[in-house]
Amino acid sequence: MRKKRILFVINPVSGGKKKTAFNKQVLEVLDLNRFDPTFKITNHANHAHELAISAIEEQYDAVVAVGGDGTINEIGTALAGTDMPLGIVPEGSGNGLAYYLGIPMNESAALRRINRFDTMAIDCGRIGERCFFNIAGIGFDASVSDRFASETVRGPIGYLRTVLNVISGYKPKKYKLKIDGKEYEREAFMISVANSPQYGNNAYIAPNASINDGLLDVCVVHKFPLYTLPMMIFHLFNKTADQSEYVEIIPGKQICIEQEGKAPVHLDGEPMDLGQRVEITVEQQALNIIC
């Protein structure tokens, strides 16, 4: 039987973790009787996407993202709509999609999942040519992602520091939304469009979201008094955000968000300038995941 060729795309800076011993670990854990691994390291923005496109052209059997949600996003965007599956070895600051899929945070355990080579198809959100598989957002979380992208301290500690720096001066903004034809106007702290329930680290913004229901959950976090922040955090980590009086969740398939002024939007934690008007659709069973 021909061995399956797997390309491991390694983000060397994700999660603030060194990955110098990763190749050796793969050779120890991966079933080399069935799989033939190749390793490539990213060295610039969107490099993971470019490597995944090349993997399709070179007829690999799978691409494995060794990184966080941003690395998964770049590779997944390339693989969406193809038969080639995406594997995940979680190495990011949040690892939202991996947590939701139950992929182990331990490298060896994640590699043993790849040995099984079981796959499932998941939905994705699409904004123009870009996809997201976990959560897209506008407002506070996008401002945090934008600031965090330029921080030198990575990992959960660096992210928490960025959150605290941004929240001290952040002001809610006004938005116009159109969800499956129905129009809304909201003043919001942030708006998250969720394909999966959580940002990462088990912080659930949309507890009932599903990656294979053909819907996206639009989570509008309204303006809230700062003294209620501990309770908001409690809701996030207890899967009860939908029970907060300051959170409104509207499911939909066709979503348009218009913001006042210019501010970043994030896709799976990666900030980008998409203009004042953002059109979002859902594509069902767009990406095969090794889980």
Side-chain angles (χ1 to χ4, degrees):
M1 180 186 290
R2 181 182 71 84
K3 291 183 182 181
K4 291 185 184 296
R5 298 170 63 229
I6 298 181
L7 176 62
F8 287 85
V9 176
I10 304 164
N11 182 338
V13 299
S14 63
K17 304 173 187 174
K18 290 185 178 180
K19 304 173 185 71
T20 50
F22 179 76
N23 295 17
K24 181 174 180 288
Q25 191 166 21
V26 170
L27 297 176
E28 291 173 353
V29 178
L30 196 69
D31 184 351
L32 299 180
N33 291 316
R34 297 171 54 216
F35 302 107
D36 179 15
T38 300
F39 306 95
K40 294 189 179 178
I41 296 174
T42 62
N43 56 35
H44 59 262
N46 217 41
H47 194 191
H49 183 268
E50 295 165 7
L51 292 172
I53 293 290
S54 295
I56 296 168
E57 295 168 351
E58 294 167 23
Q59 298 185 324
Y60 276 82
D61 294 290
V63 180
V64 175
V66 185
D69 289 319
T71 308
I72 291 167
N73 179 280
E74 288 191 21
I75 297 171
T77 297
L79 301 185
T82 75
D83 293 329
M84 188 178 292
L86 167 69
I88 299 172
V89 177
E91 298 281 9
S93 301
N95 303 308
L97 189 61
Y99 270 111
Y100 177 63
L101 292 169
I103 294 172
M105 296 298 113
N106 176 273
E107 287 179 351
S108 293
L111 290 167
R112 285 194 288 273
R113 287 288 183 97
I114 293 168
N115 278 336
R116 292 181 353 195
F117 215 78
D118 293 334
T119 64
M120 68 176 291
I122 69 168
D123 300 341
C124 78
R126 182 174 286 277
I127 302 176
E129 297 299 313
R130 296 302 302 250
C131 298
F132 64 93
F133 305 92
N134 197 43
I135 292 176
I138 192 168
F140 174 74
D141 59 343
S143 295
V144 169
S145 295
D146 191 45
R147 177 84 65 89
F148 186 60
S150 60
E151 290 286 342
T152 54
V153 179
R154 308 300 292 176
I157 292 173
Y159 191 80
L160 178 60
R161 189 175 75 175
T162 304
V163 167
L164 295 175
N165 287 338
V166 173
I167 200 170
S168 60
Y170 188 79
K171 297 288 189 291
K173 297 176 181 176
K174 292 182 179 179
Y175 300 92
K176 292 181 180 179
L177 299 95
K178 190 172 184 180
I179 304 171
D180 291 347
K182 188 172 181 181
E183 296 182 355
Y184 307 81
E185 290 191 14
R186 297 288 187 268
E187 183 177 14
F189 182 72
M190 66 183 189
I191 300 174
S192 296
V193 182
N195 187 41
S196 90
Q198 64 160 293
Y199 290 117
N201 296 311
N202 292 315
Y204 285 76
I205 184 63
N208 298 311
S210 168
I211 55 172
N212 49 25
D213 63 356
L215 292 169
L216 299 170
D217 281 16
V218 182
C219 308
V220 182
V221 179
H222 298 282
K223 181 180 178 180
F224 58 88
L226 201 56
Y227 70 82
T228 65
L229 182 60
M231 181 55 71
M232 298 292 285
I233 293 171
F234 173 84
H235 281 306
L236 274 178
F237 286 97
N238 284 272
K239 302 184 184 180
T240 55
D242 56 332
Q243 297 176 26
S244 168
E245 62 183 298
Y246 300 108
V247 177
E248 176 183 14
I249 299 180
I250 309 164
K253 296 181 178 181
Q254 301 277 344
I255 300 152
C256 176
I257 304 173
E258 287 188 52
Q259 61 174 328
E260 288 185 333
K262 187 177 180 181
V265 176
H266 82 82
L267 276 64
D268 293 334
E270 297 300 302
M272 54 194 68
D273 180 7
L274 297 176
Q276 290 181 253
R277 180 185 174 95
V278 181
E279 302 267 2
I280 307 170
T281 57
V282 63
E283 294 185 3
Q284 290 186 259
Q285 298 187 338
L287 178 66
N288 292 312
I289 296 273
I290 301 170
C291 58

